[in-house]
Amino acid sequence: MNFLVRQKARELLKSGNISIKNNPVGLRNKFLGKEKRVTVVTAAYNAEKFIRKTIESVINQTMGIDQIEYIIIDDCSTDATNKIIQEYTAKYKNICSVTLQENNGSPGTPRNIGIELGTSKYITFLDADDWLAHDGLESLYNILEETGDDYVVGKTVKVESEAESVIGEFASIKERRSITPMDVPHFFYHMGPTARMMNLPMIKENEIGFPNMKFGEDKWFFTDVFFKVRAVSTTKKPIYYVNRTSENPSSLTRVTNVLEKRKADIDIIKYIQSKDIAIELKKVALNRIYEYDIVKTFDSQTFVKSKNKEDFIEILREAVETAKNLSYDFKDEFKVPVYKLALELFMGDRIEDFVKLFEWLKRDSNKKYHIKDGLPYYELPFLEDEYRFVRIPMLARAMDSFIMDNVYHQSFEIYGDDINNIDSVLIRDRKRMDNEINCEVQIDGNIGQFTVSLEEIDKLEMSLFTVFIRYNDYQLMNIKRILKNKMTYNKKNVEFYTTVANNLGLAIKSLE
């Protein structure tokens, strides 16, 4: 089956419907070219606004452009993308351009062409609207050379017009060497091509490639990679910058309809089910799609505000149908209790309650919490029987705070499964990376406390910040501070709130 994934690329390379300049497997390069350290593959389509920055980020690597084999595949662009690529191809003999005569509608086949032409020891992928950190390739290359691992991943930074954030922070929260994908919780949850480098012979020998899908080709590819790698490493270093600025509204991630994405996930589920692999690997890979992609889609304003909810529900029906082929109950693999509850309601044909659950999650800002045996629960006002309460993995609520000797003191109550795995309190800028403070935290039973000096706060750049509890190395949880409680009764809004003078107040207003 994998052979067919790259077969189209092979056929195109043999056909006359393709133009290649500076071919790395051509006779001239075979005899005269020196072996490069890394192959970089860029699939480009109508990227004239950004492709110069993309290419320059490769040329200016600290590794040196002479150590890089750069393969750029133009997927029949209709703008000036190919013209720009040719400028660089003429100037740099180790920049290979491949020009396709028909558009594929997906980066899958162009990337597979890059795999077929690549001759280096390692390979990485760079989208035509993104760019690399100055030392990104050298950082990843050195780790693979030191460890002999098949795969390494670093930090992916999402760049928006007014903010920066880290994508898949769990994969780059600390330095790890020579582990397995199963050693990192959620490793299967960050499946884009960004900030990662792989052993190219391993990719070729195992016939791993990208399907020609409009969406989901990355999940397909990296699932196969994780099934085959012997060992992986991770690094905290920034490697890759994803362009999500307002100047880039045509990014495929933005324009792909959410229902199209979920339909593609059904195909990936069936593909993973067809694999002859260890059951534990299969469980992890499938649960990433069942829970994180499909069920989590309902926990969104997109679903809650949709006038065509049945279209979403039909996809979930298809997903549940595929689970009948499994040798285990896929619900048992769900990590988020409320998603597991939602699935149980759905499979019990309680569709109305299923929809109400997600409407409540997204719209009710006055949720009621219940603590039982030291563990936190949501109380669901519209459900009775065994579904009245649903577990929350972790819950923290602010208590008293004060300032003494220019030090802010904050106490909070905390409940949940991972109290013993709390690392720190993180005060993080909502828009900028690295403008943050980690504060020591003390936990005594279900009461926590942290302090931060005004001197430390003064070192931060002015901005708005969110205060998190960090646990399990990378997971973040808000500390809730409930300043008002609102309800409706007898055609009136009744609201208890905190006044400007920090006193308890009550407001009663008519709904009419």
Side-chain angles (χ1 to χ4, degrees):
M1 191 169 185
N2 276 5
F3 179 82
L4 296 178
V5 171
R6 283 183 14 216
Q7 183 62 22
K8 183 178 179 182
R10 290 168 176 155
E11 291 172 354
L12 281 169
L13 287 169
K14 292 178 182 178
S15 73
N17 294 326
I18 193 168
S19 172
I20 305 178
K21 292 185 179 179
N22 298 340
N23 190 338
V25 297
L27 289 177
R28 182 182 181 280
N29 279 324
K30 276 187 176 180
F31 287 108
L32 301 178
K34 294 181 180 180
E35 184 176 330
K36 303 297 187 289
R37 292 182 177 182
V38 177
T39 297
V40 179
V41 175
T42 293
Y45 175 71
N46 286 358
E48 64 179 4
K49 285 186 179 180
F50 308 105
I51 191 125
R52 286 188 187 278
K53 183 172 184 176
T54 303
I55 296 173
E56 292 287 344
S57 78
V58 176
I59 293 171
N60 294 318
Q61 286 293 299
T62 55
M63 174 182 285
I65 184 61
D66 59 315
Q67 300 296 322
I68 300 167
E69 177 180 82
Y70 191 15
I71 304 171
I72 311 173
I73 304 93
D74 177 55
D75 199 9
C76 198
S77 293
T78 58
D79 63 2
T81 298
N82 194 46
K83 180 181 178 183
I84 296 169
I85 295 170
Q86 297 310 315
E87 291 178 20
Y88 288 96
T89 304
K91 188 175 180 180
Y92 297 92
K93 295 304 179 185
N94 53 330
I95 296 182
C96 166
S97 69
V98 181
T99 305
L100 304 182
Q101 303 304 314
E102 294 182 5
N103 180 262
N104 286 272
S106 162
T109 294
R111 287 179 186 158
N112 288 340
I113 290 173
I115 293 172
E116 294 295 325
L117 293 177
T119 64
S120 303
K121 187 176 180 180
Y122 303 113
I123 188 169
T124 189
F125 299 94
L126 173 63
D127 284 353
D129 48 2
D130 302 335
W131 60 93
L132 295 170
H134 188 48
D135 59 351
L137 294 184
E138 187 170 27
S139 297
L140 299 183
Y141 173 83
N142 286 341
I143 292 172
L144 291 181
E145 285 291 284
E146 291 166 8
T147 61
D149 292 342
D150 292 321
Y151 171 100
V152 61
V153 60
K155 186 173 291 182
T156 296
V157 180
K158 180 169 70 173
V159 180
E160 298 174 284
S161 295
E162 297 181 356
E164 288 185 351
S165 58
V166 178
I167 297 176
E169 190 169 17
F170 55 85
S172 61
I173 194 66
K174 62 182 181 180
E175 301 291 332
R176 307 178 183 96
R177 299 293 183 267
S178 300
I179 58 174
T180 74
M182 298 291 283
D183 291 329
V184 183
H186 299 108
F187 206 72
F188 280 75
Y189 284 43
H190 178 33
M191 303 288 268
T194 62
R196 54 199 73 201
M197 188 178 288
M198 293 145 283
N199 183 297
L200 181 53
M202 181 269 295
I203 300 294
K204 290 193 174 190
E205 291 164 11
N206 289 288
E207 290 293 347
I208 298 172
F210 295 88
N212 200 54
M213 300 167 65
K214 185 177 181 182
F215 192 86
E217 78 288 343
D218 297 333
K219 281 182 238 180
W220 183 303
F221 178 86
F222 284 102
T223 295
D224 273 340
V225 169
F226 295 158
F227 289 161
K228 290 296 182 180
V229 293
R230 296 163 299 175
V232 303
S233 290
T234 72
T235 179
K236 296 187 295 184
K237 291 184 177 181
I239 303 296
Y240 190 110
Y241 293 86
V242 173
N243 182 359
R244 293 291 182 268
T245 61
S246 58
E247 297 176 328
N248 190 25
S250 60
S251 167
L252 185 59
T253 302
R254 293 181 174 180
V255 301
T256 304
N257 182 283
V258 66
L259 293 174
E260 291 182 61
K261 296 178 184 179
R262 301 293 77 88
K263 288 175 184 176
D265 286 332
I266 300 295
D267 292 333
I268 298 169
I269 286 172
K270 293 175 181 177
Y271 174 66
I272 295 173
Q273 287 183 346
S274 74
K275 304 288 287 183
D276 182 17
I277 54 173
I279 187 64
E280 292 307 314
L281 270 177
K282 185 172 286 190
K283 283 182 178 181
V284 171
L286 286 173
N287 189 66
R288 181 258 196 262
I289 301 176
Y290 281 128
E291 181 176 17
Y292 184 80
D293 290 318
I294 293 178
V295 174
K296 189 178 180 182
T297 293
F298 294 87
D299 188 12
S300 66
Q301 295 293 351
T302 302
F303 170 71
V304 169
K305 294 180 179 180
S306 173
K307 296 180 180 179
N308 300 306
K309 290 183 171 62
E310 182 57 37
D311 293 340
F312 289 82
I313 290 170
E314 183 56 36
I315 289 175
L316 182 53
R317 287 196 184 100
E318 290 184 47
V320 169
E321 190 66 25
T322 65
K324 294 179 180 178
N325 299 325
L326 300 173
S327 60
Y328 61 92
D329 187 344
F330 79 126
K331 297 194 305 297
D332 293 341
E333 301 303 310
F334 275 40
K335 309 301 181 188
V336 181
V338 73
Y339 293 166
K340 185 174 182 179
L341 167 61
L343 188 58
E344 289 176 357
L345 291 172
F346 183 86
M347 295 181 70
D349 204 30
R350 296 174 62 169
I351 307 302
E352 184 176 342
D353 287 335
F354 173 86
V355 174
K356 279 183 180 179
L357 174 60
F358 289 109
E359 290 177 338
W360 175 81
L361 280 171
K362 303 314 292 182
R363 292 174 175 170
D364 193 332
S365 60
N366 192 34
K367 293 180 176 64
K368 185 176 180 181
Y369 301 100
H370 179 76
I371 307 299
K372 181 180 179 182
D373 298 327
L375 296 174
Y377 295 78
Y378 282 135
E379 182 173 350
L380 307 180
F382 53 90
L383 292 178
E384 298 296 337
D385 55 51
E386 72 270 26
Y387 298 131
R388 180 72 176 183
F389 299 95
V390 61
R391 273 293 315 280
I392 307 168
M394 293 284 282
L395 172 67
R397 294 189 289 200
M399 297 171 65
D400 293 335
S401 62
F402 61 91
I403 297 175
M404 180 181 292
D405 297 329
N406 288 330
V407 176
Y408 176 80
H409 298 250
Q410 175 70 61
S411 61
F412 55 89
E413 56 179 340
I414 185 163
Y415 306 92
D417 302 304
D418 293 297
I419 291 179
N420 294 330
N421 298 321
I422 291 173
D423 304 304
S424 62
V425 165
L426 173 66
I427 302 175
R428 170 171 283 179
D429 192 325
R430 296 180 185 180
K431 292 186 176 182
R432 282 172 287 186
M433 282 183 54
D434 302 325
N435 189 31
E436 60 186 33
I437 299 175
N438 269 295
C439 308
E440 289 188 8
V441 61
Q442 293 81 41
I443 305 293
D444 183 8
N446 294 110
I447 303 299
Q449 184 181 48
F450 73 92
T451 60
V452 57
S453 69
L454 298 186
E455 183 180 357
E456 288 180 281
I457 292 174
D458 191 49
K459 294 176 184 178
L460 295 170
E461 297 179 35
M462 289 186 290
S463 186
L464 294 175
F465 298 80
T466 301
V467 180
F468 296 104
I469 293 175
R470 187 195 287 277
Y471 64 102
N472 290 337
D473 293 330
Y474 63 89
Q475 290 183 279
L476 301 177
M477 169 182 53
N478 293 98
I479 300 176
K480 296 189 175 297
R481 170 169 274 171
I482 302 171
L483 296 179
K484 60 183 179 181
N485 285 288
K486 183 187 295 185
M487 64 206 89
T488 58
Y489 182 77
N490 195 22
K491 298 183 180 180
K492 296 175 184 175
N493 262 333
V494 179
E495 181 178 313
F496 286 90
Y497 67 99
T498 302
T499 70
V500 174
N502 287 328
N503 298 318
L504 182 64
L506 169 64
I508 304 174
K509 298 179 181 179
S510 172
L511 290 174
E512 298 175 348

